[in-house]
């Protein structure tokens, strides 16, 4: 195979390399004759034979799989799933690493991203989340792809090809009970399997299947200046809507975010990217009848569910809008052609107040972004809780908050996605005064 200009390697080449680091995204890092390799299925400290699977943009790096391990890490284990490995299912990055080793690697990524992008040295450990069996049997929402023959399975890494697995080892028992991979599917491109915390599991064909609501119950406790706080609430969530996929994640993140905020009666709280209202519901109880919660969410279906659920509270205002639009922030809209498009300048929502006492952000993987973070800081809240599913996005937004006169008071990381490279963080910021 011809080698791309500027690269000494081509797809299919095999080279022996030393894996020296672990990168954000779940890859080991190695070099061969100056060429950077991102190697899946490897552990730092190992010597492996890496098979090149893809040439990166501009041949600046290559992707590869570790197909032979010559010197193994003490953290290497036999993957519990026979479908995890080179050329197989792309869902799990770290089944070849002990659970403790996985958490150490993830903590290293959080520290590296915070140092590189926010200029902060943080001491963080990745904490387990209650509700999985040694890193398995936890995922309560799984989307299975369906191939041309009607077989359901999971996709190969960076591919549309379907691997017809027997069952997913990280799927919750309720998902397994649906036997999605044992059935023949005619018509759908995918099947979403959901095992809610209340009620029976459901399977939804995509596209075309009826999408029911499911009930997710959250029970959490945390400490406050006034003593222990208990919260229990049922949320109606679309079977295809957003909800944390680890059974213990919602309660864990809720407690981790609200405990350091120590929300007080009569305060005004802002819940950004609120979904169906997990944080808004708890904030509503804490601020009480003399306080106010303003919750912002772009998904109108989620807002409708939150409005029904929180209507009786009397102190929650829901804003159905993108967060940047709710703040009245200009943004560029992409044009259909090669042009840059036009700049959208929405009016700030009259429901978004100029000041807030506390703010909770739970943005998507891309983060809140500098403009939203600056708008939050301009409200001068006494405390900000940021729930992040991507440590790089958190680090970038942390840098913006630091520049706006805030400091990082605490940072916790949680293993809400065992066997994968993903890690969830909850950061707490206060004014630097």
């Amino acid at each position: 195979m011809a080698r791309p200009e500027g690269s000494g390697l081509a797809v299919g080449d095999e080279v022996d390399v030393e894996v020296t680091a672990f990168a954000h995204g779940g890859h080991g890092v190695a070099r061969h004759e100056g060429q950077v390799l991102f190697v899946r299925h490897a552990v730092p400290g190992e010597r492996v034979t890496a098979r090149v699977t893809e040439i990166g943009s501009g041949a600046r790096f290559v992707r590869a799989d570790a197909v032979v391990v010559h010197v193994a890490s003490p953290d290497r284990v036999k993957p519990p799933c026979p479908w995890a490995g080179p050329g197989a299912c792309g869902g799990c990055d770290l089944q070849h690493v002990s659970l403790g080793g996985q958490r150490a690697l993830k903590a290293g990524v959080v520290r590296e991203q915070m140092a590189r992008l926010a200029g902060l040295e943080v001491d963080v450990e990745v904490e387990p989340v209650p509700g999985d069996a040694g890193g398995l049997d936890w995922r309560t929402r799984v989307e299975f792809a369906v191939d041309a023959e009607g077989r359901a399975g999971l996709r190969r890494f960076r591919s549309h090809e379907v691997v017809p697995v027997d069952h997913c080892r990280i799927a919750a028992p309720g998902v397994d009970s649906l036997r999605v991979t044992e059935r023949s599917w005619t018509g759908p491109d995918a099947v979403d399997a959901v095992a809610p915390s209340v009620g029976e599991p459901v399977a939804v064909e995509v596209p075309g299947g009826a999408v029911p609501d499911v009930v997710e119950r959250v029970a959490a406790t945390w400490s406050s200046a006034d003593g222990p706080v208990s919260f229990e609430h049922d949320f109606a969530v679309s079977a295809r809507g957003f909800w944390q996929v680890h059974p213990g994640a919602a309660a864990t993140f809720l407690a981790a975010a609200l405990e350091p905020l120590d929300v007080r009666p009569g305060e005004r709280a802002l819940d950004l990217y609120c979904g169906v209202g997990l944080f808004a519901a708890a904030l509503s109880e804490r601020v009480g009848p003399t306080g106010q919660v303003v919750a912002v969410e772009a998904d109108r279906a989620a807002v409708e569910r939150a409005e029904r659920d929180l209507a009786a509270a009397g102190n929650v205002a829901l804003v159905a809008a993108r967060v940047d639009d709710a703040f009245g922030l200009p943004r560029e809209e992409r044009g259909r052609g090669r042009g840059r498009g036009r700049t959208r300048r929405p009016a700030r929502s009259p429901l978004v107040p100029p000041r807030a006492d506390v703010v909770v952000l739970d943005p998507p993987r891309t983060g809140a972004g500098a403009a939203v973070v600056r708008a939050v800081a301009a409200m001068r809240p006494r405390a900000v809780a940021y729930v992040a599913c991507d440590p790089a996005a958190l680090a970038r937004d942390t840098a913006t908050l630091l520049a706006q006169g805030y400091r990082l008071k605490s940072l916790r990381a949680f293993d809400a996605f065992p066997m994968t490279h993903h890690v969830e963080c909850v950061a707490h910021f206060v004014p630097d005064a």
Side-chain angles (χ1 to χ4, degrees):
M1 178 177 293
R3 283 154 174 72
E5 184 178 352
S7 172
L9 295 172
V11 173
D13 284 352
E14 294 185 0
V15 292
D16 289 350
V17 294
E18 300 278 354
V19 181
T20 58
F22 185 73
H24 179 38
H27 304 80
V29 181
R31 288 182 179 272
H32 174 74
E33 297 181 354
Q35 179 78 66
V36 176
L37 285 78
F38 291 123
V39 186
R40 278 172 58 84
H41 314 294
V43 187
E46 292 187 332
R47 181 167 181 80
V48 303
T49 296
R51 179 182 297 146
V52 177
T53 58
E54 183 182 341
I55 306 297
S57 175
R60 292 179 293 118
F61 64 91
V62 301
R63 300 183 191 275
D65 285 339
V67 293
V68 179
V69 179
H70 302 288
V71 178
S73 164
D75 286 321
R76 178 172 283 277
V77 297
K78 181 180 179 180
C81 176
W83 307 103
C89 173
C92 291
D93 314 286
L94 298 176
Q95 290 211 11
H96 60 286
V97 186
S98 68
L99 206 52
Q102 292 179 33
R103 291 171 183 158
L105 291 175
K106 296 178 189 184
V109 168
V110 175
R111 288 192 293 268
E112 190 271 336
Q113 294 297 315
M114 293 297 286
R116 185 171 66 86
L117 298 175
L120 294 178
E121 298 295 329
V122 298
D123 183 16
V124 65
E125 294 184 0
V126 174
E127 305 172 39
V129 174
D132 61 61
L136 303 175
D137 301 332
W138 55 269
R139 191 175 181 99
T140 59
R141 292 177 177 236
V142 179
E143 181 166 285
F144 293 92
V146 177
D147 66 14
E149 285 72 44
R151 298 175 302 179
L154 300 169
R155 296 194 186 277
R156 299 190 193 279
F157 180 65
R158 295 176 64 82
S159 170
H160 292 292
E161 185 178 353
V162 178
V163 179
V165 304
D166 53 354
H167 72 96
C168 176
R169 270 51 174 188
I170 65 172
V175 169
D176 285 338
S177 73
L178 294 167
R179 307 299 182 194
V180 172
T181 60
E182 299 175 15
R183 298 157 62 182
S184 180
W185 301 89
T186 303
D189 298 322
V191 177
D192 281 359
V194 181
S197 54
V198 177
E200 296 299 314
V202 297
V204 180
E205 296 185 16
V206 182
V211 183
D213 279 1
V214 296
V215 177
E216 300 287 359
R217 178 169 297 157
V218 178
T221 60
W222 63 90
S223 299
S224 75
D226 300 323
V229 176
S230 296
F231 172 84
E232 184 169 335
H233 199 94
D234 286 356
F235 296 89
V237 186
S238 166
R240 298 205 67 222
F242 173 78
W243 189 257
Q244 293 291 343
V245 296
H246 192 294
T252 299
F253 301 161
L254 180 65
L258 264 62
E259 183 170 271
L261 289 183
D262 196 20
V263 182
R264 304 159 190 167
E267 289 194 312
R268 176 182 285 159
L270 193 63
D271 179 11
L272 302 180
Y273 315 94
C274 72
V276 296
L278 170 65
F279 294 103
L283 290 167
S284 170
E285 289 190 6
R286 297 304 297 156
V287 302
T290 60
Q292 181 190 38
V293 178
V294 177
V296 184
E297 171 57 49
D299 185 334
R300 292 184 178 273
V303 172
E304 290 173 2
R305 290 168 174 81
E307 286 176 334
R308 293 197 303 264
D309 183 49
L310 298 174
N315 62 355
V316 181
L318 273 296
V319 180
R322 285 174 49 131
V323 170
D324 48 1
D325 285 354
F327 275 110
L329 302 173
R331 60 181 171 90
E332 188 176 287
E333 293 184 326
R334 293 182 179 179
R336 289 188 175 182
R338 294 185 178 182
R340 297 179 60 190
R342 65 186 182 91
T343 299
R344 177 180 173 85
R345 300 182 184 277
R348 184 184 179 108
S349 169
L351 294 177
V352 175
R355 297 293 299 272
D357 297 296
V358 295
V359 178
V360 177
L361 302 94
D362 187 6
R365 192 167 302 281
T366 52
V372 168
V373 171
R374 285 193 291 267
V376 168
M379 304 177 85
R380 304 314 297 170
R382 65 169 181 82
V384 176
Y386 190 127
V387 182
C389 56
D390 184 89
L394 172 62
R396 288 191 295 268
D397 288 344
T398 294
T400 303
L401 271 170
L402 298 180
Q404 298 303 305
Y406 280 76
R407 64 181 175 87
L408 177 65
K409 186 174 183 181
S410 65
L411 174 64
R412 297 176 69 183
F414 297 95
D415 195 13
F417 307 90
M419 305 296 167
T420 80
H421 73 273
H422 298 290
V423 59
E424 198 91 8
C425 295
V426 179
H428 180 219
F429 299 90
V430 295
D432 189 12

